[in-house]
Amino acid sequence: MDFLFIQFLNGLSSASSLFLVASGLSIIFGVTHITNFAHGAFYMLGAYVAYTLTEAWMGAIGFWGGIIVAAGTVALFGALIEIILLRRIYRSPELFQLLATFGITLIIEDLVIQVWGAEDLLGRRAPGLDGAIDIFGQAFPTYELVLIALGPICLCALWLLFNRTRWGVLVRAATQDRMMVSALGVNQAWLFTGVFTLGVFLAALGGAVQIPRDAVHNAMDLQIIVEAFVIVVIGGFGNVLGAFLASFIIAELNSFGILLFPKISMILMFIVMALVLVVRPYGLLGKAETHARTALGNVVRPLAPLTRKAKNWVLAALLVFLILPIFADDFVLNVGSEILIFALFAASLHLMMGVGGMVSFGHAAYFGLGAYGVALLVKFLNMPMEAAIVIAPLLAIAGAIIFGWFCVRLSGVYLAMLTLAFAQISWSIIFQWDDVTGGDNGLLGIWPSEWASNQQAFYYMTLVIVIAALYAIRRIIFSPFGYTLRGCRDSLLRADAIGIDRLRIQWFGFVLAGSFSGLAGVLYAYLKGSVFPDYISIPLSVDGLVMVLLGGIQTVAGPIIGAGVFKALSTIIISHTEFWKIILGAFIVILVVAFPQGIVGFFLERFGSKEEDIAEEKQ
Amino acid sequence: MSSLVVKGLSKYFGGVKAVNNVDFEVQKGELLALIGPNGAGKSTCFNMLNGQLAADAGSIKLFDEEIIGLQPRQVWRKGVGRTFQIAATFTSMSVIENVQMAIISYHKRLLSMLPFAGSLYKEEAYELLELVSMEDQANRPCGMLAYGDVKRLELAIALANDPKILLMDEPAAGMAPNERIALMQLTADIVKDKGISVLFTEHDMDVVFSHANRVMVLNRGEVIALGLPSEIRENEEVQSIYLGTGAVYDEELVGNA
Amino acid sequence: MISRRRLIGGVIGGVLTAMTAQNALAADTIKVGEINSYSKLPAFTVPYRNGWQLALEEINAAGGINGKKIEVISKDDAGKPGEAVTAANELVSKDGVSILMGTFFSHIGLAVSDFSKQKKVVFVAAEPLSDALTGAKGHEYVFRVRPPVIVQAAILADAAAKLPAKRWATIAPNYEYGKSSVEAFKKLLSAKRPDIEWVDEQWPTLFKMDAGSTVQAISRAEPEAIFNVTFGSDLTKFVREGTTRNLFEGRSVVSMLTGEPEYLDAMKEEAPVGWLVTGYPEYSIDTPEHNAFKKSYEAKFNDYPRLGSVVGYSTMKATAAILAHAKSLSAEDLIKAGEGVKFDTPLGEVSFRPGDHQSTMGAYIGTTALKDGKGVMVDWSYKDGGQYLPSIEEIKKQRGM
C-alpha cells in the first residue's frame, strides 16, 4: 500500500512535467492552429538558459529567479519568431507552419551545440530541496513534491487567466471561433503573438524545472515533442483541462505499468492515444469544431491536366533521367535512385493528404512495412527479388487496410495523430521483436538479384518502377475515383448528397496511398541492402511531410519536385558538413517565406497557365 | 398521386420539440413551399427528409417506399435531389466537373480508376448546365463563381440523377430579386418538363406566393396550415404568428450543420 | 563568435574539400573513407575524431605507408543507417577509397558492414559494441577495434561473482545493446554463482526513462545488487533519483561503461561512489604508450582524451597497420594483411584475431570514487580483451559455419 502510494506520487510528478509542455502546445494550436513542431526545441532552450542562469546566480532566489527568467527569455525569443516568421505565413496552407517550425527546430538544435557544447550538462539541484522526506518509510525527493504542486498551480493560473481576464476570454473565444473574434474588432495578430508567447513560456518553464532532476542535453527536444503532441491529442486540442487529465492518465499508467510490463513505456502512450481516438474522435474533452475548417489542400485552382508546355518539360525531365547513366558515376546513380524512391514516397503521401485531405504523421509506417516485407521474405523464404518486389507491398497494404479503417473515421489533426499512433505501434513491434525482425540491429543482406546488382541496372529498374507508379498515381488522381476522393475533401456535405460513401472512398484512398508507399519501401530496402526500424520511424514520416509541403501540396508535380529538392539538398549538405541541420533548417525557413505555395505552386503562379489556358487546353 | 408521404415526423433536441409530429404529402409535379419563422423547424425537417439528421419518430415514404433511417447517399440513390441553404460544391473542380461527378456517381462508377473523369459524361453534364443556363461558365473553377451561379450549379447537380423529388433549402437566398425570380421560374419550368416534385423553403414571400403550387406553414415544429397560396395568404393564424412579426428571416438556430 | 566562424569554416571547408578531393592528391596518397554520427552524437564523436586525426598526423609525419600519405575523407551519417550507406557508397564509388572505417551505433555499424560485404570493401568498425558485428553477422570484410558487449559484461561478471550479493536486479535501456548486455551478464554470473537470484528487471525506453518510478520499482524488489546498463542522460537521472531515494545505500552496483569520462564527467560532483564499472581512467594510467598519447592529445586539442579518443586513435592505427602490411590495395590482400596484424594503441599493443577479425583490445575495470568534486575510477586494472572473447569455435557456431 505504502509502495503504491509512492508510485502514485511518482506518477504525479511526471504528470506535472508533461502537463507544462503539453498545455502550451495545446493553447498555441487551439488559437493559432499552428502545429508547433518547435515546441520541444523551446523546452530544450528553457533548460539550457536556466542552466546558465542558475549556475551564475546563487541561492534559492538565484535558482528560482533563474528558472523564471529563463522561461521569460525563451518566451520573448518565441514571440520574436512569431512576429518575424510565423506572421508571414498564417495565410499559407495549413501545416505550412509545421514546416517552418520544423526548420526552426533544426536551427535551434545546432545552435544549442554551438553555444553550450555537445556534452550533457548537469544543472544545479534546487537549494533546500535537494534532499528527501520520509513518506511511509520511503525516501521521496522534496523537489518532486514541488513539481507535483506545479502542475495544478499552473492549471489554476491558466484557468484564472482564461476566465477572469478580458484577454483570456478573447483567447477562449478565438479557440472556438476565430472569425467571430476578428469580427469583434480585436487585433488578431497581437492576440496570436500573445498566445504563442504564453505557450512558449510554458514549454520553456517545463524544460527549466527539469534541470535538478535530468541532464541538460541536445536531444531533449525530440524526447518531449512527440509525447507533448500525444498528450494534447488525448486531452483534446485547445483544451487545457484535457491536457491535464491526459498527462495524469499517461503518467500514472506508465508508473504502474512498468511494475508489470517493464518494457511498456516505449509504446504505452500510443496505445492509449489510439484507444481514446477510436472511442472519442476528438480526444477526452475536445469538441467537434463548430466551423468545419477547410481541409488541407483545398484550393480554388482546380487540378489541371498538363498543358503542352508542361508536357514538354516532363518529357525533357524523363529524357534526362534516361540518359543520366551515360555521364554520371555510380554514386550519382545511387543518389538518383534514392531520389526516385522518395519521389514515389512523397507522391503517395500527397495522394493521401493533398488529394484525399487526410494528413498523415505516420506515413513511414507503410514505407517501413514494405521494406520489412522484403526483408522477411528474403530472410525466411529466400525469395528472389523479382517475386519479393511484387509480394512485399502486401504487408504495407495489409497495414493500410487495418489502420485506415480506423483513421478515416476521424478527421483533421486527430486523424493525423492516429496515423502516428499506428506508425509508432508498428515501429515498436519491429523494434522489439528480435527473433523475427532483428530488433534495432535490423535485417541484413537484402541485395538485388545478380542482373540488377550493378548501380546502372538498379537505377534503370528503379526508374521504370517509379515512373510507372507515378504515372499510375497521376492517372488515379484524374480518374473518377481520384475526383471522388477530392470531392470528399472539398465538401463532405455535397459528397454525401450525391451518393458518395465517404468512408469507403477514403479508406480505399488510404490503402492506395499506403500501397505506393510500401512499394517505395521495397525499393529502398534493395537500395540500402538492409532494413532498420529507422525506416518506419517518425523522422522519416516528417521527411515525407517536408517533401510534400516544400514542393507544394496543390499540384501533382509538387511532391515529386519537393522530394527531389529535399533529398538532393540534404544528401549534398550532409556529405559536406556536419552542421547540416542549421543550413537545412535555414533553407527550409527561407523557402517557406519565399514560396508559401511550395516550389511548384510558386512557379505555376509566376509562369504557369492562367484560368484561360486551362479552358483552352480542355477544348 | 403523392410522390412523398410524411407521417408523424418528429425531432427533439433535449426538451425542445424542433419538429413535432409533422404530416404532409408532396404531390407529383407540384412545387410545395415550406415556410415559417426563425426556428420553426424548416431546416431540421429538411435534414431529416434526406437522412442527414436521424428522426426520432415518424415515417417518410417515397413512392410507398420507407426511406427513414437511410443515409443521405442512400436517399439520393432513391431519387431525392438536394440543394443547400449555404451552397456546397466541390470547390477544387470546375463547374462542369461538379456536374460530371454527380453523373458518375449516378452511374456507380466512383471507384473506376481507368478513364479520365474529365471526359466522362461531358455531354450529359453540358446539357444539364444548358438547362440552368450555366454552359458559358462550364470550365470556370467552381470557387470563382458568383453566389447566384453556384445556386444554379447546385440545381444542375441535383438534377443529375433524374430525381423524382427535389429538396431545395432556400434556393434563392442571397440572390438579387431579379435573379430569384429567374431561378424559381427556371425551377418551375424544369419541374413541369420532367414531371418531378419540389419541396422548398424560402423566406421571400414574393417568391413563395408567385411560384409555389401549395404552401405549408411550420411554427414551433408543428404544421399550422397547409393549402393553396391564396388560402395561406388569408389565414389569420399565419398572419398573426408569422407574417405579422416582422421577423428577420435569417439562418435558423438548428439544422445548419 | 567562435562558433559561427567554425560553422562557416566548416561549410566552406567542406565544399572545398569536396571539389578538390578527387583530383588533387590522387596518385600519391592512399584514401581512407571514414563515417560517423558527428551531428547526432557530437559529445562522443568529436573526441573520436580528434583521436583519429592525431593518429593520422603521426602516421603521415612518419612518412605514411610505404612512402604514400594517408588521406582520410570523413562523412557524417546523421545517425541514420540509410545515410551511412549513402555515405559509404559515395566514399567507395565517387571518392575511390581503399578502405572504410568508423561508425558508433551498432545498427549503423552493421549496415556499413553489410554494405562492405556486398561491395567487397574492407571496413574497420570503430565503436559499435554489438556482439553480432564480429559474431553472428561477422564476415571476412569487417574488422572491429573496440571490445564488444560480451567482453565488457564478462569482465564485470568476473568481479561481480566475488560480491556477496545474492539478489540481483537489472536496469538497461530497451534496445539491443541493453538487452544483450543483460543477457550476457546474467548468463555469465549465473554460471559462476548458481545461488544467485534475479529479482527484478527494468527496461526504460532509451533516453526517456521515468526515473522516479523506475527507481521505486527496483527498490521494491529489495535487491542486494544492481546491474546497470543505462548511460548518458538516463544514467544521470537514474543516479540522481537513486541517490535521493537511497536506492544505492547498502547495495552493490555493477555498471557498464560508467567509468568512461564521457559518462562519468557529465555527473560532476554527483557521480556515484563505490560502483564497480568498466571505463577509462585516463588520469591515472601510467604507461609509456598512454603517456605519449595523452601528452600529444592534450597539446593538440587542449582537452583531455576520452575513451572515444582512444578508439578513434586506435582505429586509425589499425587501418594504417592493415594498409602497411598489405601487398596491394585489393580487398583480398587487405584482409590477408589484417588477420592477426598487431597495432599500437594507447592501451598497449593489440591485434585482430584471424578467426573473427575482432581486436583483442580490452577494458579497464575499477571502482568509482569522488576526487576534487569529480568522479574517478580507483583500484582499477586493465583486462585484456583476448581473455574474454568467445572462442573461434564458438564464433563459427554463431555464424552457422
Side-chain angles (χ1 to χ4, degrees), chain A residues 23-35:
Chain A
S23 60
L25 188 62
S26 191
I27 294 168
I28 291 177
F29 185 88
V31 176
T32 65
H33 293 176
I34 290 181
T35 322

Side-chain angles (χ1 to χ4, degrees), chain B residues 60-237:
Chain B
I60 305 168
K61 283 191 172 154
L62 181 71
F63 292 103
D64 286 338
E65 192 185 347
E66 185 60 68
I67 59 166
I68 208 155
L70 296 184
Q71 295 291 313
R73 59 171 201 280
Q74 297 165 319
V75 174
W76 180 81
R77 296 232 175 260
K78 300 280 178 204
V80 179
R82 165 98 203 236
T83 68
F84 295 94
Q85 189 176 337
I86 300 168
T89 54
F90 298 141
T91 45
S92 74
M93 298 178 202
S94 69
V95 168
I96 192 164
E97 285 168 345
N98 265 277
V99 184
Q100 283 170 288
M101 276 310 300
I103 306 176
I104 287 169
S105 178
Y106 179 53
H107 290 282
K108 298 195 172 168
R109 296 184 66 177
L110 291 172
L111 290 178
S112 156
M113 281 193 268
L114 288 177
F116 284 107
S119 45
L120 280 183
Y121 308 113
K122 215 166 177 174
E123 280 169 30
E124 289 90 329
Y126 200 74
E127 277 168 25
L128 282 171
L129 286 179
E130 273 180 335
L131 209 57
V132 297
S133 311
M134 285 282 292
E135 69 274 18
D136 302 343
Q137 309 197 58
N139 289 318
R140 289 196 70 187
C142 196
M144 291 182 178
L145 289 185
Y147 192 71
D149 292 341
V150 179
K151 287 281 190 180
R152 286 196 286 163
L153 169 60
E154 271 206 310
L155 181 57
I157 295 171
L159 291 169
N161 68 332
D162 254 339
K164 296 169 184 143
I165 181 163
L166 276 182
L167 305 178
M168 301 175 76
D169 201 352
E170 306 208 7
M175 294 170 109
N178 57 336
E179 268 189 324
R180 295 178 181 205
I181 308 272
L183 181 80
M184 287 319 291
Q185 192 55 54
L186 178 67
T187 311
D189 292 346
I190 293 168
V191 167
K192 203 189 263 174
D193 231 38
K194 305 214 167 201
I196 55 182
S197 329
V198 171
L199 176 67
F200 71 103
T201 65
E202 187 51 60
H203 279 131
D204 185 334
M205 288 307 124
D206 289 342
V207 169
V208 170
F209 290 115
S210 55
H211 289 99
N213 300 110
R214 287 194 303 151
V215 178
M216 175 165 70
V217 187
L218 217 55
N219 188 37
R220 297 185 181 187
E222 294 185 20
V223 178
I224 57 166
L226 176 60
L228 297 173
S230 52
E231 294 166 11
I232 298 299
R233 220 192 284 263
E234 305 306 316
N235 187 313
E236 284 179 19
E237 198 186 352

Side-chain angles (χ1 to χ4, degrees), chain A residues 80-89 100 104 589 592-593:
Chain A
L80 215 61
I81 287 181
E82 200 274 347
I83 293 169
I84 295 173
L85 175 64
L86 297 178
R87 250 183 211 188
R88 295 171 192 275
I89 54 173
I104 294 169
V589 167
V592 166
V593 174

Side-chain angles (χ1 to χ4, degrees), chain C residues 237-249:
Chain C
K237 275 193 278 189
F238 180 60
V239 168
R240 280 189 146 176
E241 288 288 329
T243 308
T244 323
R245 292 169 192 252
N246 304 328
L247 176 68
F248 309 128
E249 221 160 78

Side-chain angles (χ1 to χ4, degrees), chain A residues 297-303 471 474-476 478-484 486-502 504-505 508 512 611 614-615 618-619, chain B residues 50 52 72-73 76-77 80 82-84 86 88-94 97-98 101-102 104-105 109-118 120 122 139-141 143-144 154 157 257:
Chain A
N298 211 345
V299 279
V300 175
R301 173 196 289 275
L303 287 176
Y471 179 71
R474 199 183 156 80
R475 280 300 295 259
I476 288 171
F478 285 98
S479 77
F481 174 73
Y483 270 60
T484 311
R486 198 141 52 89
C488 293
R489 179 201 74 190
D490 282 359
S491 169
L492 279 184
L493 201 60
R494 172 48 65 196
D496 220 10
I498 60 167
I500 295 172
D501 184 348
R502 195 260 309 179
R504 192 184 340 158
I505 294 290
F508 197 28
L512 272 177
E611 196 193 323
I614 298 168
K618 281 191 174 179
Q619 275 155 13
Chain B
N50 87 321
Q52 217 169 300
R73 59 171 201 280
W76 180 81
R77 296 232 175 260
V80 179
R82 165 98 203 236
T83 68
F84 295 94
I86 300 168
T89 54
F90 298 141
T91 45
S92 74
M93 298 178 202
S94 69
E97 285 168 345
N98 265 277
M101 276 310 300
I104 287 169
S105 178
R109 296 184 66 177
L110 291 172
L111 290 178
S112 156
M113 281 193 268
L114 288 177
F116 284 107
L120 280 183
K122 215 166 177 174
N139 289 318
R140 289 196 70 187
M144 291 182 178
E154 271 206 310
I157 295 171

Side-chain angles (χ1 to χ4, degrees), chain A residues 464-542:
Chain A
V464 168
I465 294 176
V466 168
I467 295 298
L470 289 179
Y471 179 71
I473 290 177
R474 199 183 156 80
R475 280 300 295 259
I476 288 171
I477 291 175
F478 285 98
S479 77
F481 174 73
Y483 270 60
T484 311
L485 194 58
R486 198 141 52 89
C488 293
R489 179 201 74 190
D490 282 359
S491 169
L492 279 184
L493 201 60
R494 172 48 65 196
D496 220 10
I498 60 167
I500 295 172
D501 184 348
R502 195 260 309 179
L503 288 181
R504 192 184 340 158
I505 294 290
Q506 290 193 333
W507 189 22
F508 197 28
F510 195 108
V511 173
L512 272 177
S515 321
F516 285 112
S517 173
L519 181 61
V522 169
L523 293 171
Y524 193 68
Y526 277 115
L527 177 73
K528 297 294 176 187
S530 46
V531 297
F532 296 95
D534 298 62
Y535 301 168
I536 199 164
S537 65
I538 295 172
L540 190 72
S541 296
V542 174

